[in-house]
């Protein structure tokens, strides 16, 4: 706990305690209803026909045989969706292009752009028939060569994924940026890109650049410079609950959708765009969500079930299989990266440069701009340059995944930092401390930091028992890495009703993924001084609560916590008003303390919260507190991870011996769920580091769309993840909250790579660092490359 | 199935006979695709993923002969084909005397799977990567088979004929496995390499059994078998024989490891590369032998 700011929050009664979550019993007893748990009389079951090819033109779709099958009620294809982006003159209205992308991802348009791309939806009286009907849809494809990575995407005549769409920006600008880049010998050679057949168009959907200072001079001032190249593969968010959506399109044109998502308002608005009706005609009812991690922020099934219901007049439900989840929903990006950092002998960074080329998947929108802003953010960089490229490939469209864009970038940046500190013989945490960004530091991307807790987090790591312990032994090593994430905010609405029995019902618009119901309720309990169990949180549908942005960007405890705080203040003010009416005194003379209303001077005037709540209806009517806000000032988060590993030199298998997450959380409202986020993020990062990867064949077909072969860590692969909470309160939030959910996935890959180097002296520059990869690296390092018996 | 997100499990008829004769009669009906259900941990997954379909499943868990688990010094171990893994490692005699089988029973799936999965099912499923088969081979187990034409016996190493293919004729059932009585100063071990610590398919696996001469402490006899490095589990004959008469030391293990690598004929796939697998056969053979020898010394 940070001393200076501690006093402000010392007297909190509930914030910082660890009550049982309101939704806990329902969830552990299996009563909670998730996406697929909804069902209606007369309901039809849908299935999606998916592309067997990674890249092909759709010449025709004939579903007459499917419709003729008994029990099949309807088929939809992209031709059923409106195309507002089409104009008479130029063909495409660029302002509406995102609707085309969104629509074409839901059901393919002119082309299929990845294996598993949805082509048609079928509704039938049961799932067997729907599945059988898929075999009866005749799609004629003209197969095109798939473009499967960044290097291939920028090659001459690689083929263009979105034909006629991404003009080569200002003819040659990007190529010259690459070539003039100080980063030498880049294998990413774009110099010829603007020649050849596809001369006008490219697979480069976006380019970002940020600069500060004088990069050339910075590198000249350096005593040591480290420059490295990296490649990382696609990984999936891996939520347990597959996507499921159910819709009823009523005869009056009003649509109701049940689904689990990270934001039902977003689902509503995206569905409205794709199916072409006003958002206010759609009501989305949020179901409990079994994990999202960024991957449940996009519509996939919702527009399809809506359209199928419109055609049939009956409720329609589609639930994905695990294979569909892997093939058809957002993984996170694969990347090519290059990083170069220079420092003086005494360990001061003089310059830092990065080139990030991120796969967008089949449609634009990789989070490369975010990766670019995060990569060097923990440090005070006098001279810096970061470039980012958003590159189209024939893979599923990338979706957000926990701190989108930052983990891959940190893998590159933090391993170079480690190598620099090794070369300079400076403790890696001390090196970070010397270069730490603080309040007032200007980032390469421009903004100046308000109060952040990097120094405190690194200091806490340096004296942590883990860091002070001995990790000795052959093939054992220790690594550290830091991570940065902005944390987000957004519009949020909360309503609190005082019930006659003294409880308060709280309605919010933020789906609860990580225990936010209880954290948000704790804000209300704190303001009103009533027990947390007496606050009853629920998540309202899109017609029952004001607009609330999605549960993402580590924003809910911040924005919705704040909205709840404010709504509770509103309720409190109105109840004080009522008490003053009843007592016939001035409102300014009435206080609410520890759940009791009292008069500032007359001690006879006392009433507890419950008493007053019971009198409301008879004394002027019920009281509702409300807040609808969009607060700024979400404080950035910093996390430092320490990991000890052991490498089996004979098999390349790595064991995580000990793992500690140290993180500035601002203020832990409910420490259990804060620690849970820290552990969960670390575990997902460990999976990404060790074994998780999409394995594509050369046709772009995913070979491992199952949890058997897409290897997430199991409990037997992990030690207990230790957590150490640092609280540098965020001055921008009533209780000092910073977001906590995302930043813990940022450091693990780099921390583990650094530990591998410490254990066996090898610098890994690809992900995952799986046993065969590590074994080959060990062989290459021994100069042997030898297999027994060769 | 109505709410199914997964591929639909299609209809089939389920039978649960209580005698072997009844099971064999059910198997013999012509024109009906019939399969045995033991623990179901392979076949239900396969049916659900639509790899094939059946008209009939015959559950053999209620047939007494197939649930036998008994040991005698004269006849050795009789392991019914429907005995689930957990009963094997909870059985004192088996744990003491057939540790190679216990190693396998203990790593198949996780605790839930072991409550159902059988060694018989593991063998009949005939996966190249099956974890129990190398142990059965090195312990010289015999398959007791019964079918419409009566009983027969077959050495385990002759049972698997290709990936997912076995030597059972149509209508035949694997009733039990019989292991010879253990000899003094002998020990076995099975281990595999997987990228995680559970729930993975072996990238390579090696089982080893050794018996030591009680006077000279040299290897009297050894048997080595490999998994996941060929179309079927492999009995590494040369690697086994090379050890006879040698001191059980690192040098001898290295010789056996190299011979085992020669016996391996792995493929590159998403679970491992040829280089990695051949290399692992060497590493695992030595590790398996070290532990088998230690067990032999302790026995
Ligand atoms: C989550 C999970 C993890 C797994 N992990 C492993 C692992 O680590 N290692 C491993 O080797 N396997 C593993 N498996 C596969 C499986 O559990 C094993 O192969 C198991 O031993 C199969 O036994 P069973 O009794 O369940 O077989 P079943 O599924 O009942 O049968 C398998 C096949 O053999 C046939 N069959 C069964 N018994 C007989 C009989 N008596 N006569 C004739 N035919 C018969 C069946 O018809 C079927 O074709 C795993 C499976 C799952 C689902």
């Amino acid at each position: 706990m940070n001393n200076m700011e501690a006093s402000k929050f010392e007297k909190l009664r509930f914030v910082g305690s660890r009550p049982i979550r309101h939704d806990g019993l329902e969830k552990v007893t299996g009563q909670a209803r998730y996406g697929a748990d909804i069902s209606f009389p007369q309901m039809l079951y849908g299935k999606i026909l998916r592309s067997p090819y990674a890249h092909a033109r759709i010449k025709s779709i004939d579903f007459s045989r499917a419709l003729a099958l008994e029990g099949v009620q309807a088929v939809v294809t992209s031709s059923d969706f409106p195309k507002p982006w089409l104009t008479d003159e130029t063909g495409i209205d660029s302002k509406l292009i995102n609707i085309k992308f969104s629509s074409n991802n839901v059901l393919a348009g002119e082309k299929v752009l990845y294996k598993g791309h949805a082509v048609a939806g079928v509704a039938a009286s049961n799932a067997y028939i729907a599945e059988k009907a898929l075999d009866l849809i005749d799609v004629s494809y003209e197969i095109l060569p798939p473009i499967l990575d960044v290097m291939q995407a920028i090659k001459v005549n690689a083929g263009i994924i979105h034909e006629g769409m991404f003009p080569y920006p200002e003819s040659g600008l990007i190529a010259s940026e690459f070539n003039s880049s100080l980063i030498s010998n880049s294998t990413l050679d774009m110099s010829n890109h603007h020649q050849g057949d596809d001369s006008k168009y490219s697979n480069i959907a976006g380019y970002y650049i940020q600069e500060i200072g004088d990069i050339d001079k910075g590198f000249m001032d350096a005593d040591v410079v480290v420059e490295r190249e990296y490649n990382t593969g696609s990984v999936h968010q891996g939520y347990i609950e597959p996507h499921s959506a159910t819709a009823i399109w009523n005869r009056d044109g009003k649509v109701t959708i049940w689904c689990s998502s990270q934001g039902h308002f977003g689902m509503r608005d995206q569905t409205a765009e794709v199916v072409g009706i006003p958002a206010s005609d759609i009501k989305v009812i949020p179901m409990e969500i079994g994990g999202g991690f960024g991957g449940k922020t996009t519509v996939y099934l919702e527009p399809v079930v809506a359209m199928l219901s419109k055609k049939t007049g009956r409720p329609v439900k589609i639930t994905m299989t695990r294979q569909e989840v892997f093939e058809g929903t957002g993984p996170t990006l694969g990347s090519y990266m290059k990083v170069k950092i220079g420092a003086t002998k005494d360990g001061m960074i003089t310059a830092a440069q990065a080139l990030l080329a991120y796969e967008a998947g089949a449609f634009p929108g990789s989070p490369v701009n975010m990766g670019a802003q995060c990569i060097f953010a923990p440090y005070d960089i006098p001279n810096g340059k970061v470039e980012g490229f958003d590159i189209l490939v024939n893979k599923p469209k990338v979706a957000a995944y926990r701190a989108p864009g930052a983990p891959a970038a940190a893998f590159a940046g933090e391993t170079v930092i480690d190598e620099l500190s090794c070369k300079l013989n400076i403790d890696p945490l001390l090196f970070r401390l010397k270069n730490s960004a603080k309040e007032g530091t200007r980032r390469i991307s421009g903004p100046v930091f308000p109060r952040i807790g990097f120094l405190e987090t690194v200091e806490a790591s340096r004296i942590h028992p883990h860091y002070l312990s001995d990790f000795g032994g052959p093939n054992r090593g220790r690594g550290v890495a830091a991570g940065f994430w902005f944390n987000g905010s957004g519009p949020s609405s909360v309503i609190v009703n005082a019930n006659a029995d003294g409880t308060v019902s709280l309605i919010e618009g933020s789906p609860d993924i990580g225990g936010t119901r209880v954290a948000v309720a704790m804000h209300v309990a704190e303001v009103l001084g009533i027990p947390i169990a007496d606050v009853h949180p629920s998540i309202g549908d899109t017609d029952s609560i004001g607009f609330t942005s999605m549960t993402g960007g580590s924003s809910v405890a911040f924005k919705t916590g704040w909205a709840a705080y404010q709504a509770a203040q509103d309720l409190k003010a109105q109840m004080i008003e009522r008490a003053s009416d009843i007592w016939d005194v001035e409102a300014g003379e009435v206080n609410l303390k520890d759940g009791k209303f009292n008069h500032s001077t007359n001690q006879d005037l006392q009433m507890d919260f419950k008493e007053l709540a019971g009198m409301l209806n008879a004394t002027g009517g019920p009281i509702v507190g409300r807040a609808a806000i969009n607060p700024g000032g979400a404080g950035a988060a910093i996390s430092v991870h320490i990991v000890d590993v052991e490498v089996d030199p004979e098999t390349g298998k790595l064991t995580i011996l000990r793992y500690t997450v140290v993180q500035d959380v601002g203020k832990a409202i409910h420490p259990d769920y804060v620690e849970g986020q820290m552990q969960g993020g670390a575990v997902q990062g460990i999976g990404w580091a060790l074994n998780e990867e999409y394995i594509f064949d050369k046709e772009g077909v995913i070979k491992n769309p199952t949890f058997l072969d897409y290897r997430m860590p199991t409990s037997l692969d992990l030690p207990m993840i230790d957590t150490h909470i640092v609280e540098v309160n965020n001055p921008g939030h009533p209780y000092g909250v910073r977001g906590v959910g995302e930043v813990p996935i940022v450091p693990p890959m780099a921390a583990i790579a650094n530990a591998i180097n410490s254990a066996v002296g090898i610098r890994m520059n690809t992900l995952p660092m799986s046993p065969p990869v590590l074994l080959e690296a060990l062989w290459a390092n021994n100069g042997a490359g030898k297999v027994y018996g060769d | 199935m109505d709410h199914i997100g997964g591929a639909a499990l299609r209809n089939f008829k389920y039978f649960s006979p209580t005698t072997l004769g009844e099971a064999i009669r059910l198997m013999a009906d012509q024109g009906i695709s019939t399969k045995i259900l033991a623990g179901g941990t392979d076949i239900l997954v396969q049916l659900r993923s639509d790899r094939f379909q059946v008209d009939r499943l015959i559950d053999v868990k209620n047939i007494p002969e197939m649930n036998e688990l008994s040991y005698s010094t004269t006849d050795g171990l009789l392991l019914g084909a429907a005995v689930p893994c957990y009963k094997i490692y909870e059985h004192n005699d088996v744990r003491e005397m057939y540790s190679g089988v216990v190693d396998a029973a203990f790593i198949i799936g996780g605790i839930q799977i072991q409550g159902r999965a059988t060694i018989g099912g593991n063998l009949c499923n005939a996966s190249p990567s099956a974890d129990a088969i190398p142990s059965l081979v090195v312990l010289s187990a015999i398959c007791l088979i019964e079918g419409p034409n009566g009983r027969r016996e077959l050495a385990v190493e002759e049972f698997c004929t290709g990936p997912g293919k076995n030597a059972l004729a149509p209508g035949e059932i694997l009733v039990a496995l019989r292991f010879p009585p253990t000899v003094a100063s002998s020990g076995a071990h099975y281990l595999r390499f997987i990228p995680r610590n559970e729930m993975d398919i072996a990238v390579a696996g090696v089982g080893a059994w050794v018996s030591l001469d009680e006077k000279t402490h040299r290897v009297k006899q050894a048997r080595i078998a490999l998994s996941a490095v060929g179309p079927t589990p492999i009995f590494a004959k040369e690697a086994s024989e090379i050890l006879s008469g040698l001191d059980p030391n690192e040098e001898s293990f290295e010789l056996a490891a190299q011979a085992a690598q020669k016996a391996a004929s792995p493929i590159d796939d998403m679970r491992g590369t040829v280089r990695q697998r051949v290399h692992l056969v060497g590493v695992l053979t030595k590790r398996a032998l070290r532990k088998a020898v230690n067990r032999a010394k302790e026995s």
Side-chain angles (χ1 to χ4, degrees):
Chain A
M1 165 80 72
N2 179 270
N3 302 331
M4 283 184 324
E5 282 134 327
S7 55
K8 186 173 158 199
F9 299 117
E10 245 163 30
K11 295 188 198 76
L12 297 178
R13 255 179 91 186
F14 300 114
V15 166
S17 65
R18 301 173 185 251
I20 288 174
R21 63 198 285 172
H22 302 79
D23 51 322
L25 192 76
E26 265 198 349
K27 283 184 174 160
V28 300
T29 55
Q31 295 301 302
R33 296 207 303 167
Y34 291 83
D37 292 332
I38 191 99
S39 164
F40 295 97
Q42 294 291 303
M43 187 169 82
L44 300 173
Y45 296 86
K47 286 275 173 190
I48 303 277
L49 178 71
R50 293 180 182 275
S51 167
Y53 306 112
H55 195 188
R57 198 177 311 283
I58 298 177
K59 296 203 300 205
S60 64
I61 304 178
D62 177 359
F63 48 79
S64 51
R65 289 197 302 139
L67 276 181
L69 183 69
E70 189 175 341
V72 172
Q73 302 286 332
V75 176
V76 298
T77 66
S78 71
S79 62
D80 292 299
F81 292 147
K83 297 182 177 50
W85 58 85
L86 285 182
T87 63
D88 293 343
E89 314 92 53
T90 54
I92 286 175
D93 180 343
S94 60
K95 288 192 298 295
L96 299 177
I97 192 71
N98 285 333
I99 301 180
K100 173 175 166 59
F101 291 148
S102 182
S103 175
N104 287 355
N105 195 34
V106 171
L107 287 175
E110 306 83 25
K111 294 208 287 185
V112 287
L113 299 173
Y114 50 94
K115 159 74 167 83
H117 195 164
V119 174
V122 176
S125 45
N126 68 45
Y128 294 119
I129 297 174
E131 210 168 57
K132 212 183 231 170
L134 298 184
D135 294 338
L136 301 176
I137 300 177
D138 301 303
V139 185
S140 160
Y141 293 104
E142 175 196 339
I143 301 168
L144 302 168
I147 295 164
L148 296 175
D149 64 35
V150 165
M151 296 302 173
Q152 198 192 343
I154 58 163
K155 277 207 186 100
V156 187
N157 297 338
I160 297 294
I161 292 179
H162 290 284
E163 286 145 2
M165 216 165 280
F166 296 98
Y168 200 65
E170 273 128 57
S171 118
L173 167 76
I174 290 174
S176 67
E177 285 294 341
F178 258 96
N179 292 339
S180 71
S181 160
L182 255 189
I183 293 196
S184 53
N185 303 324
S186 174
T187 44
L188 196 61
D189 178 9
M190 321 245 291
S191 53
N192 288 322
H193 189 276
H194 57 294
Q195 297 162 10
D197 286 351
D198 305 315
S199 59
K200 285 216 216 75
Y201 301 103
S202 77
N203 293 316
I204 302 162
Y207 173 67
Y208 308 87
I209 180 162
Q210 312 155 11
E211 281 175 287
I212 199 166
D214 179 341
I215 189 85
D216 297 344
K217 185 176 168 306
F219 281 119
M220 265 157 24
D221 292 345
D223 296 313
V224 184
V225 174
V226 172
E227 182 181 337
R228 293 277 177 193
E229 245 177 319
Y230 298 85
N231 284 288
T232 69
S234 314
V235 300
H236 198 270
Q237 294 81 348
Y239 31 80
I240 295 297
E241 182 201 21
H243 298 253
S244 181
T246 304
I248 297 178
W249 191 305
N250 275 327
R251 303 288 146 95
D252 61 2
K254 299 271 193 276
V255 183
T256 307
I257 297 173
W258 292 259
C259 63
S260 76
S261 78
Q262 290 177 240
H264 38 304
F265 287 90
M267 294 293 125
R268 178 193 70 179
D269 296 352
Q270 291 175 42
T271 303
E273 269 187 356
V274 174
V275 302
I277 60 173
S280 57
D281 281 352
I282 302 177
K283 171 159 86 175
V284 178
I285 300 180
M287 307 297 287
E288 291 295 346
I289 173 168
F293 310 110
K296 288 192 184 142
T297 54
T298 314
V299 289
Y300 296 103
L301 300 174
E302 291 77 5
V304 180
V305 287
M307 233 38 195
L308 286 169
S309 178
K310 183 182 187 187
K311 285 195 166 185
T312 58
R314 288 165 63 173
V316 178
K317 171 180 178 176
I318 301 183
T319 303
M320 287 193 198
T321 62
R322 181 59 57 185
Q323 179 168 350
E324 289 182 285
V325 172
F326 275 116
E327 293 184 344
T329 72
T332 191
L333 51 104
S335 71
Y336 164 83
M337 301 176 287
K338 190 139 190 176
V339 172
K340 179 177 174 183
I341 307 180
T344 59
K345 277 208 260 321
D346 56 350
M348 299 308 295
I349 295 175
T350 57
Q353 186 172 4
L355 184 158
L356 311 177
Y358 281 8
E359 292 175 0
F363 297 94
S366 80
V368 71
N369 54 339
M370 302 213 252
Q373 289 176 69
C374 288
I375 182 165
F376 300 130
Y379 307 105
D380 188 348
I381 308 278
N383 307 293
K385 180 173 176 184
V386 184
E387 291 165 280
F389 293 82
D390 186 31
I391 296 183
L392 296 161
V393 292
N394 290 119
K395 293 182 181 173
K397 175 182 163 34
V398 158
Y401 180 21
R402 222 169 182 155
F411 170 59
E414 291 290 306
T415 49
V416 170
I417 296 266
D418 192 71
E419 194 170 347
L420 262 182
S421 58
C422 281
K423 286 214 158 115
L424 293 165
N425 210 8
I426 299 174
D427 171 85
L429 287 179
L430 181 62
F431 185 89
R432 287 174 171 85
L433 208 56
K434 277 170 175 274
N435 293 287
S436 153
K438 348 179 163 37
E439 187 168 355
T441 301
R442 180 172 289 284
R443 287 152 55 184
I444 302 179
S445 49
V448 172
F449 274 122
R451 184 82 174 88
I452 52 163
F454 191 40
L455 275 174
E456 290 80 355
T457 307
V458 180
E459 292 280 20
S461 307
R462 288 184 74 201
I463 57 168
H464 192 280
H466 181 172
Y467 201 63
L468 299 174
S469 70
D470 181 17
F471 62 88
N475 302 309
R476 291 188 169 197
R478 173 169 296 158
V480 297
F484 168 88
W485 183 246
F486 319 90
N487 290 329
S489 180
S492 185
S493 310
V494 166
I495 292 171
V496 283
N497 301 301
N499 299 322
D501 61 0
T503 62
V504 169
S505 52
L506 177 159
I507 305 160
E508 55 179 309
S510 292
D512 178 358
I513 309 185
T516 52
R517 271 190 190 85
V518 65
V520 170
M522 287 166 79
H523 286 74
V524 174
E526 192 68 57
V527 170
L528 301 177
I530 60 172
I532 297 163
D534 284 357
V535 182
H536 300 163
S538 60
I539 294 146
D541 63 51
T542 51
D543 282 357
S544 313
I545 183 73
F547 185 89
T548 301
S549 56
M550 68 176 180
T551 297
S554 303
S555 65
V556 175
F558 179 77
K559 70 185 176 196
T560 304
W562 194 339
Y565 170 88
Q566 207 157 301
Q569 294 287 0
D570 183 27
L571 186 85
K572 174 178 160 182
Q574 294 181 58
M575 291 197 48
I576 283 176
E577 182 94 31
R578 186 68 56 87
S580 71
D581 284 352
I582 294 169
W583 287 334
D584 199 14
V585 297
E586 290 298 313
E589 296 163 10
V590 178
N591 302 309
L592 172 63
K593 193 164 180 295
D594 293 342
K596 276 199 164 58
F597 295 92
N598 52 47
H599 188 262
S600 47
T601 52
N602 182 349
Q603 294 194 358
D604 291 341
L605 297 181
Q606 282 209 12
M607 217 176 347
D608 66 20
F609 187 90
K610 186 172 173 178
E611 237 178 308
L612 179 57
M615 294 160 70
L616 293 177
N617 286 348
T619 56
I623 290 181
V624 177
R626 48 165 285 275
I629 59 174
N630 185 357
I638 297 279
S639 190
V640 171
H641 292 201
I642 311 166
V643 59
D644 297 352
V645 305
E646 180 170 335
V647 175
D648 180 341
E650 286 189 320
T651 64
K653 185 160 165 172
L654 186 137
T655 304
I656 309 274
L657 301 169
R658 187 170 180 183
Y659 202 106
T660 303
V661 179
V662 182
Q663 185 175 320
D664 172 21
V665 307
K667 175 77 194 169
I669 299 290
H670 192 308
D672 277 355
Y673 297 122
V674 168
E675 289 160 1
Q677 290 293 320
M678 291 161 73
Q679 293 170 321
V683 167
Q684 286 190 310
I686 290 169
W688 197 339
L690 297 188
N691 282 305
E692 287 185 39
E693 66 179 314
Y694 272 53
I695 302 170
F696 291 95
D697 70 9
K698 57 184 194 312
E699 307 304 328
V701 174
I702 301 157
K703 302 301 287 178
N704 59 335
T706 67
F707 276 140
L708 176 60
D709 288 308
Y710 180 87
R711 299 192 185 94
M712 292 171 69
T714 74
S715 58
L716 294 180
D717 302 311
L718 301 159
M720 186 65 189
I721 309 290
D722 269 334
T723 54
H724 180 88
I725 290 177
V726 175
E727 293 186 319
V728 176
N729 301 144
N730 174 13
H733 180 274
Y735 297 129
V737 164
R738 294 174 193 274
V740 297
E742 289 169 291
V743 75
I745 200 176
V746 182
M749 290 79 95
I752 290 169
N754 295 339
I756 290 173
N757 179 65
S758 154
V760 292
I762 294 177
R763 290 276 169 203
M764 300 299 292
N765 62 356
T766 56
L767 293 178
M769 301 174 282
S770 57
V773 175
L774 198 46
L775 192 58
E776 291 284 345
L778 284 160
W779 286 337
N781 197 45
N782 297 335
K786 182 172 172 299
V787 181
Y788 277 84
D790 260 11
Chain B
M1 87 92 217
D2 56 344
H3 64 285
I4 296 265
L9 187 58
R10 282 156 218 267
N11 283 337
F12 53 79
K13 281 222 168 78
Y14 170 85
F15 295 87
S16 183
T18 52
T19 66
L20 192 54
E22 200 184 335
I24 287 171
R25 269 194 304 282
L26 283 163
M27 288 287 282
D29 281 342
Q30 298 295 313
I32 294 170
S33 69
T34 304
K35 283 223 167 220
I36 300 283
L37 173 89
T41 61
D42 273 319
I43 197 167
L44 291 178
V45 178
Q46 290 158 0
L47 285 172
R48 218 183 138 138
S49 66
D50 223 2
R51 215 181 293 171
F52 54 82
Q53 295 304 327
V54 291
D55 301 323
R56 247 183 210 181
L57 274 189
I58 302 174
D59 186 340
V60 291
K61 285 193 287 294
N62 293 315
I63 298 173
E65 294 96 310
M66 297 185 68
N67 282 296
E68 190 94 33
L69 180 61
S70 61
Y71 175 75
S72 81
T73 45
T74 47
D75 296 340
L77 177 69
L78 191 66
L79 170 61
V83 174
C85 288
Y86 83 94
K87 285 205 175 145
I88 296 170
Y89 57 70
E90 284 183 0
H91 193 283
N92 281 338
D93 289 339
V94 182
R95 222 177 26 234
E96 267 168 40
M97 278 173 288
Y98 297 90
S99 49
V101 182
V102 170
D103 291 337
F106 209 70
I107 57 176
I108 290 177
I111 194 147
Q112 298 93 332
I113 294 292
Q114 288 154 16
R116 285 264 149 182
T118 65
I119 300 291
N122 194 260
L123 177 61
C124 292
N125 192 56
S127 159
S129 61
D131 280 314
I133 303 179
S135 288
L136 306 182
V137 171
V138 300
L139 292 171
S140 306
I142 303 290
C143 306
L144 309 183
I145 297 165
E146 191 154 335
N149 303 323
R151 283 181 174 253
R152 65 179 177 119
E153 297 190 357
L154 187 70
V156 161
E157 55 263 45
E158 284 159 32
F159 187 81
C160 298
T161 53
K165 294 204 170 67
N166 63 38
L168 293 178
E172 280 188 327
I173 296 177
L174 175 72
V175 179
L177 291 154
R178 198 182 60 222
F179 299 76
T182 48
V183 297
S185 286
S186 68
H189 183 48
Y190 172 77
L191 83 172
R192 62 178 178 185
F193 180 78
I194 52 174
R196 293 180 293 189
N197 292 322
E198 197 179 85
M199 293 294 168
D200 269 335
I201 292 179
V203 178
V206 176
W209 172 85
V210 292
S211 76
L212 302 179
D213 186 298
E214 285 183 76
K215 288 203 193 91
T216 63
H217 300 297
R218 293 202 168 166
V219 178
K220 241 164 61 183
Q221 215 190 335
R223 285 172 73 86
I224 294 170
L226 319 175
S227 54
V229 289
T232 62
I234 295 167
F235 172 48
K237 193 158 176 283
E238 213 177 301
S240 308
E241 286 168 358
I242 225 169
L243 284 165
S244 297
L246 297 185
D247 271 333
N249 59 24
E250 284 300 311
E251 229 173 283
S252 324
F253 299 163
E254 179 65 43
L255 281 178
Q258 288 181 12
Q261 287 178 314
K262 288 211 188 83
S265 58
I267 52 165
D268 272 324
D269 65 14
M270 66 173 160
R271 295 182 184 136
T273 62
V274 168
R275 268 163 74 81
Q276 180 196 15
R277 285 182 157 132
V278 171
H279 170 78
L280 286 172
V281 165
V283 172
L284 298 178
T285 299
K286 288 189 279 185
R287 289 182 182 180
L289 281 169
R290 279 179 210 130
K291 189 143 185 184
V293 165
N294 279 343
R295 281 175 169 172
K297 286 179 179 162
E298 284 160 13
S299 77

